[in-house]
Amino acid sequence: MRLFAYETPSSIDEATLHAENRPTFLAGGTTLVDLMKLEVVTPGQVVDIDQLPMRGIKLTSEGLRIGALEKMSDVAEHPDVIAHYPVISQALQKSASAQIRNMATMGGNLLQRTRCGFFRDVSTPCNKRQPGSGCPAIDSWNRGFAILGTS
């Protein structure tokens, strides 16, 4: 893992001030830390937003509102989710280990990088890491590749 600057903003406004420098934002960190260890991503600045007020689970007349920093386990176990959106609750319960569900955020899951092995192997080209570099998964065969139609 490479050296990086680490910031912990105390407000959403303060966090957005860092956005001009194109930092990597950290919340649960379950995927980001792995990618940093592999040097798939090497951010110069990490902004930890985990303590910001971006949580909440509310059932409204328009549907279910889930804060970006809600943990998967909290959403899965919430009474309104279980009662009105049981498929979401069940999917979250089955989607990861208990350790991951207790750390991973809903926003992070929506923004998660590809799980393709070539993306995580920095010795191979990957259009997701470096556009135009190529995609060895196109001519390979493996059920774990992240190909949907074209490269």
Side-chain angles (χ1 to χ4, degrees):
M1 191 179 297
R2 298 183 187 187
L3 291 176
F4 57 90
Y6 179 80
E7 307 284 338
T8 54
S10 58
S11 69
I12 294 171
D13 288 340
E14 188 180 333
T16 57
L17 289 175
H18 293 288
E20 293 176 7
N21 299 330
R22 311 232 350 127
T24 298
F25 290 97
L26 169 70
T30 56
T31 298
L32 177 61
V33 172
D34 288 342
L35 294 177
M36 289 173 68
K37 286 179 182 177
L38 295 169
E39 295 193 355
V40 172
V41 295
T42 56
Q45 180 182 26
V46 174
V47 177
D48 187 342
I49 62 170
D50 193 48
Q51 298 305 312
L52 297 181
M54 298 168 60
R55 288 182 169 72
I57 303 169
K58 292 183 191 173
L59 185 62
T60 71
S61 60
E62 297 174 350
L64 186 64
R65 295 186 59 94
I66 302 170
L69 295 180
E70 281 294 340
K71 305 296 185 195
M72 291 173 63
S73 58
D74 293 335
V75 175
E77 296 166 6
H78 194 277
D80 286 337
V81 177
I82 293 168
H84 300 281
Y85 296 90
V87 173
I88 292 175
S89 175
Q90 293 166 18
L92 289 170
Q93 291 284 0
K94 294 180 184 296
S95 64
S97 69
Q99 294 90 341
I100 297 292
R101 288 193 307 270
N102 287 328
M103 286 297 297
T105 63
M106 296 301 292
N109 270 275
L110 292 174
L111 298 173
Q112 186 177 150
R113 303 296 302 266
T114 180
R115 302 297 290 180
C116 181
F118 289 119
F119 175 76
R120 292 166 181 273
D121 180 359
V122 295
S123 68
T124 63
C126 175
N127 285 333
K128 288 286 189 184
R129 279 194 327 267
Q130 184 178 357
S133 65
C135 178
I138 290 173
D139 296 322
S140 299
W141 178 255
N142 184 309
R143 68 186 189 128
F145 292 155
I147 293 188
L148 299 174
T150 61
S151 174

